[in-house]
Amino acid sequence: MRNRRLVSIIRSGLLLLLSSAWLFPVYIILVNSFKSREEMYLNTLSLPPSLDFRYYAEAAERMDFLRAFRNSLVLTIGGVVLVVVFCSMAAWMLVRHGGRLSRLIYDVLVITMLIPFQTVMMPLIQEMSFMTRVMGIPMLNTLGGMLFMYLGFGAGMGVFLFYGFIRSSVPRALEESAIIDGCGVWTLFWRIVFPLLKSITITVAILEMIKIWNDYLLPSLSLTSTANSTIPLAMSLFIGQYTVEWNMAMAGLMMSIIPVIIFYLYAQKHIVKGVAAGAVKG
């Protein structure tokens, strides 16, 4: 009994230590967002002398935060919706119409997860530029073009997770019963199958949301107009060639991570369940 209590205390202490390590960067961002540059350089770890929100106001004004927030929100919500809708339908069809072709398509989509973005970014931008100039399809410097690219980059992971979940957790007999009752393919998926994908849908949505919301590299290559700037692009205003306004950057960063934290806290109970079920080998 005594050994069990000791083990429990040690385990709790280790969890507390690990939690503190994970939360330490958030603490650094939060306390320094209320400090001037001099106060921050004097003692980075200390609490701010007062809760002065003027740095938040100045950072929001210089970033044009409302516009950047709107653009990031449009890209994030649109990208998540596109990935969830297209990947869930594609995965369902690949599972239910098994065969060599379906397996080949699935393998190709999964292999794309292994390709680093840095290896394809320049050919991608050249291709998008070609589509914009020659074919007349606005793919560069538009939010629609960004959504198209986010759908492509999210397809591999999305299909992989939905495929494993559908294969292991969605019974075929339920679909066959609905078909016997006269249910069409479209109604079958949206009324019968998709409601069963709640946990894995939330998992995919969280992963895509974090990736798109925090993405800097792809928007920096594609979005050249300040009117289309996202929050990560707007935050680059505080990072100059010779100096960095860290306190302003911390205030902007704090404003940018609050929506992600709120969404994560709301949906965290579904993450482990969805990932565990979606990672089943197909």
Side-chain angles (χ1 to χ4, degrees), residues 56-112:
Y56 281 84
E58 185 175 349
E61 182 180 357
R62 291 177 57 183
M63 293 170 59
D64 197 357
F65 182 78
L66 292 180
R67 176 180 291 180
F69 181 83
R70 182 199 64 192
N71 293 335
S72 291
L73 196 64
V74 169
L75 287 178
T76 302
I77 294 177
V80 168
V81 170
L82 287 175
V83 169
V84 167
V85 170
F86 281 93
C87 292
S88 60
M89 292 191 296
W92 180 59
M93 293 302 292
L94 290 175
V95 171
R96 293 300 180 243
H97 295 272
R100 291 185 177 181
L101 180 60
S102 296
R103 187 68 195 187
L104 176 62
I105 296 173
Y106 172 74
D107 290 340
V108 170
L109 287 171
V110 172
I111 289 173
T112 61

Side-chain angles (χ1 to χ4, degrees), residues 249-267:
M250 296 292 182
L253 184 59
M254 199 66 211
M255 290 188 290
S256 69
I257 65 176
I258 288 176
V260 178
I261 293 176
I262 294 174
F263 182 75
Y264 177 81
L265 292 176
Y266 171 76

